[in-house]
Amino acid sequence: MLHPVGPLSPAVYWRRRLLVLTLLLAVLGGGGWLAVAAISGGSGSSAAAAAATDEPTGESSRPPALELVVPSLASVQTPTPVPTVTEAPPPAPEAAAPEPGGPCTDDMIGLEVRSPGSAPVGGKPTFELVVSNVSAVPCVRPLDKGLQEIVLSDAGGNRLWGSNDCFPEASSDVRTLAPGESVAFPLVWGGLTSQPGCTAERNPLAPGQYVLRGRLDTKTSPDAPFSIS
């Protein structure tokens, strides 16, 4: 082995042996390097995966640009609303009690029309306008004839007769009415129609249902039914 034999010179055979040995060492060295690289690469990948699991990368760990400008709603402390206290409205002032001997206001008097309830055609029934003090104190009220009126209307509200149309009266009658006191003013109706000023023809009313209503200046009475048969 150490002394090559052949037709060529010994130097040629030594060079061939050195080349084969070099190739063999290169193959053995390359295989070892690949094994070491495979082992090192597996460890590096596991470490990188573990690092990625434990801690986010630099790009994903940065908060979005919007979060840098607008704070999270979870960090904003909203003030606790203070319950509002609704104040009760002030009590309405009590109406002043009427003065004894003062004027009788419309609220202090009652007014009604009394009638026989019915009358024949062409009859002349008597109506009464009744004024009462319904307050708890004496009061003063003008009861002049010119302030009194009784009006008769049909069921549809059409005015057919008024006590002041043809025979208006004037008087001065101021009275002090005691609590509960009533004053009645009788009036005879002639059974004919009339208009204010008594300018229209006057005719008897036909049988039917009618309504009477009284007035004393600004105070009016409830309607009272009246029939003609």
Side-chain angles (χ1 to χ4, degrees), residues 153-196:
S153 305
D154 62 16
N158 298 305
R159 186 183 188 276
L160 301 174
W161 169 79
S163 60
N164 293 338
D165 290 346
C166 296
F167 305 101
E169 297 184 49
S171 67
S172 179
D173 188 0
V174 180
R175 301 193 191 187
T176 299
L177 302 176
E181 182 181 0
S182 296
V183 180
F185 298 92
L187 173 68
V188 178
W189 174 47
L192 303 177
T193 62
S194 67
Q195 294 295 327

Side-chain angles (χ1 to χ4, degrees), residues 54-174:
D54 294 341
E55 184 176 354
T57 61
E59 181 65 24
S60 61
S61 63
R62 285 195 305 237
L66 183 62
E67 293 186 4
L68 294 177
V69 178
V70 181
S72 173
L73 293 179
S75 63
V76 177
Q77 298 294 328
T78 56
T80 303
V82 179
T84 57
V85 179
T86 304
E87 296 184 0
E94 295 183 3
E99 268 186 52
C104 296
T105 64
D106 287 350
D107 294 335
M108 297 171 67
I109 63 171
L111 191 67
E112 64 174 325
V113 176
R114 294 175 184 171
S115 77
S118 65
V121 175
K124 297 181 179 182
T126 298
F127 303 142
E128 284 186 335
L129 185 66
V130 181
V131 183
S132 304
N133 180 2
V134 296
S135 71
V137 297
C139 60
V140 179
R141 181 82 181 203
L143 304 178
D144 303 351
K145 287 289 186 178
L147 301 177
Q148 302 175 25
E149 185 179 28
I150 297 177
V151 173
L152 186 145
S153 305
D154 62 16
N158 298 305
R159 186 183 188 276
L160 301 174
W161 169 79
S163 60
N164 293 338
D165 290 346
C166 296
F167 305 101
E169 297 184 49
S171 67
S172 179
D173 188 0
V174 180

